[in-house]
Every structure is written in structure tokens, then in C-alpha cells.
């Protein structure tokens, strides 16, 4: 396994890595950290280089940073950074040609076309933001059909392990996604989403654990398979 593959594996397992004063800081689920500690030790020096965004980092797509870019324009301040430190919009961010788990290199946010500053912590969900906040300002009451869809999605979200507040947010995100005609999807709508054993969620198509943002925030995934189509095909 290369250091870069290890970064991806850590991100998928919900492990956050940071380089601090030449030391590798590791945080995340205890079991996953225990399992990956030997590999983290083995690749420590390469990981420090990657995390520091050295020449080993992947080529960026957005050109040189604009000197006028605010210093606080970082992935940590972006609505699309997952709790594992990966990017929930890797295609739009120029990190991948199709949906994949990607750890943005240091400094990428300064040139990232997909950067969106976190604006509000919605429904008490911590740093998770509502991706359709602008559209929601033109609120009109939901129709009976929309309400039925929201209830169905809320039930599925709870069955899949979201707490009621997170399920509220996810069903509201989907409601506004549909209203705005956005073409992005949530893992929550995909037939490959599973409740995990060693992680909270697991993707049966990619054979990877999934961070919550991928489950509840819209993105474009090449391997997405619509749950509704499965139902209609029954
Ligand atoms: S969208 Fe861009 S700025 Fe935001 S987390 Fe992804 S790479 Fe970072
Ligand atoms: S295949 Fe489905 S569950 Fe897996 S990452 Fe893509 S959208 Fe999510």
C-alpha cells in the first residue's frame, strides 16, 4: 500500500490525519486507528510530506492561488469537507474525474472551484450545512406529494442509523434538491448504501466505509444506483 492509498483508506475509515510540527496527529474511531497504526508508522514520513502539500501532492486544476484569496479559505471552512477530512465534491473540486474518496491537498481550497463557505449549522447538526440554503429563502409550503416523499425519506434515514435531526436535514435537503432540479444524489438514495459493521455506513458498490457527509450531502457518484428504480422494478 502506498502512502496515498493509506490516506484514502484512513479517510474512508473516518480517521483524520494532520501534520503538526513534524509530528503525525491521528484521530478517529479507536478500532480503526488500532488497525491502521502499523501502516501509519511505516508510512509516517511520506504521510507528513503529503499532508504538508509538498510536490508529492496531486496536480491541482485551478491554477495559482489568487493573492487576494482570504487566508481562511480552507477546506476546514468549506461546507463540502467531510468529518473524515475528505472532499464530498471531488469532481467539482477537480480532485477526481468521477466520484471517489479524495483527501484535498494542502492549499487546494484557495483555488478550488467548488469551495463553499460553511454558512449555518442546520438543525443542530454541527458543522453540516444546508446545500440549498439560497433556494430555501424563497420558501413555499410543501405539497402533499412532497410531504409524503419527505416522510418516506425520513423513515429510511432513521432505519439507516441517522438520528431524527439528521434525518430531518437529509429529507429537507432532498426536498430542495428536487425543487431546484439539481442532479446530485445522496448515498441515502442509493441501493448500495448499507449499515456497516466496522463503520457506520458502507458502500456495497465501492466496498468502502462512508463518511456521513456522503450519506447526507449531495454529490455525483458514477456508481450511484437509484433505490426508487429498484422499487419500481420489483
Ligand atoms: S470542495 Fe474544494 S474547498 Fe471544499 S472540501 Fe472539497 S476540495 Fe476542499
Ligand atoms: S455507489 Fe451509492 S452508496 Fe456508494 S458512494 Fe456511490 S452513491 Fe454512495
Amino acid at each position: 500500500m502506498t502512502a496515498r492509498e493509506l490516506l484514502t483508506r484512513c479517510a474512508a475509515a473516518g480517521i483524520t490525519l494532520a501534520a503538526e510540527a513534524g509530528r503525525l496527529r491521528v484521530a478517529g474511531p479507536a478500532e480503526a486507528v488500532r488497525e491502521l497504526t502499523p501502516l501509519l508508522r511505516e508510512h509516517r514520513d511520506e504521510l507528513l510530506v503529503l499532508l504538508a502539500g509538498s510536490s508529492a501532492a496531486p496536480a491541482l486544476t485551478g491554477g495559482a492561488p489568487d493573492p487576494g484569496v482570504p487566508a481562511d479559505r480552507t477546506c476546514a471552512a468549506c461546507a463540502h469537507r467531510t468529518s473524515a477530512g475528505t472532499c464530498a465534491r471531488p469532481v467539482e473540486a477537480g480532485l477526481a474525474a468521477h466520484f471517489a474518496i479524495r483527501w484535498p491537498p494542502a492549499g487546494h481550497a484557495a483555488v478550488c472551484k467548488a469551495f463553499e463557505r460553511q454558512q449555518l449549522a442546520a438543525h443542530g447538526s454541527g458543522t453540516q450545512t444546508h446545500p440549498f440554503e439560497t433556494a430555501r429563502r424563497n420558501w413555499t409550503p410543501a405539497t402533499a406529494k412532497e410531504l409524503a416523499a419527505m416522510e418516506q425519506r425520513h423513515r429510511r434515514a432513521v432505519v439507516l442509523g441517522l438520528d431524527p435531526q439528521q434525518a430531518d436535514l437529509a429529507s429537507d435537503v432532498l426536498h430542495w434538491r428536487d425543487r431546484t432540479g439539481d442532479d446530485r444524489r445522496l448515498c441515502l438514495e442509493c441501493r448500495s448504501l448499507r449499515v456497516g459493521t466496522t463503520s457506520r455506513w458502507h458502500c456495497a458498490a465501492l466496498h468502502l466505509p462512508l463518511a456521513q457527509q456522503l450519506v447526507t450531502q449531495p454529490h455525483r457518484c458514477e456508481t450511484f444506483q437509484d433505490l426508487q428504480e429498484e422499487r419500481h422494478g420489483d
Side-chain angles (χ1 to χ4, degrees):
M1 177 181 290
T2 66
R4 194 176 294 283
E5 287 166 348
L6 181 56
L7 273 181
T8 302
R9 187 161 165 200
C10 285
I15 295 174
T16 305
L17 302 177
E20 280 178 27
R23 304 191 62 178
L24 184 63
R25 298 274 177 212
V26 182
E31 193 182 330
V33 171
R34 236 186 339 267
E35 186 188 331
L36 292 178
T37 292
L39 285 170
L40 290 169
R41 287 209 179 103
E42 184 187 333
H43 293 287
R44 178 186 163 279
D45 291 346
E46 297 150 273
L47 290 170
L48 286 172
V49 170
L50 284 173
L51 290 167
S54 75
S55 56
L60 306 184
T61 56
D66 181 338
V69 170
D72 64 347
R73 180 173 157 143
T74 62
C75 289
C78 176
H80 307 306
R81 182 178 183 267
T82 73
S83 54
T86 57
C87 175
R89 296 183 65 177
V91 178
E92 295 90 336
L95 299 173
H98 52 75
F99 179 76
I101 292 178
R102 288 285 183 270
W103 194 296
H108 184 62
V111 294
C112 181
K113 293 190 173 85
F115 175 85
E116 277 184 77
R117 194 172 295 284
Q118 291 171 17
Q119 287 173 346
L120 81 169
H123 302 279
S125 60
T127 58
Q128 190 158 327
T129 59
H130 199 302
F132 300 106
E133 186 53 29
T134 307
R136 287 168 90 224
R137 293 194 189 122
N138 299 318
W139 182 87
T140 54
T143 64
K145 190 176 169 196
E146 287 173 327
L147 282 173
M150 288 170 89
E151 281 172 13
Q152 187 188 43
R153 287 161 167 170
H154 190 281
R155 276 197 299 276
R156 173 167 164 79
V158 170
V159 165
L160 283 166
L162 291 178
D163 68 36
Q165 286 181 329
Q166 293 165 337
D168 272 352
L169 175 59
S171 56
D172 193 62
V173 165
L174 287 172
H175 170 64
W176 286 99
R177 188 278 315 272
D178 290 349
R179 275 197 174 184
T180 55
D182 191 286
D183 66 347
R184 289 173 292 163
R185 298 288 179 267
L186 274 55
C187 293
L188 203 55
E189 305 173 275
C190 177
R191 64 175 92 158
S192 297
L193 180 65
R194 305 276 189 279
V195 175
T197 47
T198 56
S199 63
R200 200 168 168 196
W201 293 289
H202 185 84
C203 171
L206 298 173
H207 306 290
L208 284 173
L210 294 169
Q212 180 177 319
Q213 275 87 340
L214 298 176
V215 175
T216 61
Q217 294 284 294
H219 57 274
R220 296 183 182 92
C221 173
E222 213 176 45
T223 42
F224 174 82
Q225 287 187 286
D226 197 337
L227 192 70
Q228 295 299 330
E229 286 172 14
E230 182 180 47
R231 287 199 180 124
H232 296 154
D234 287 345

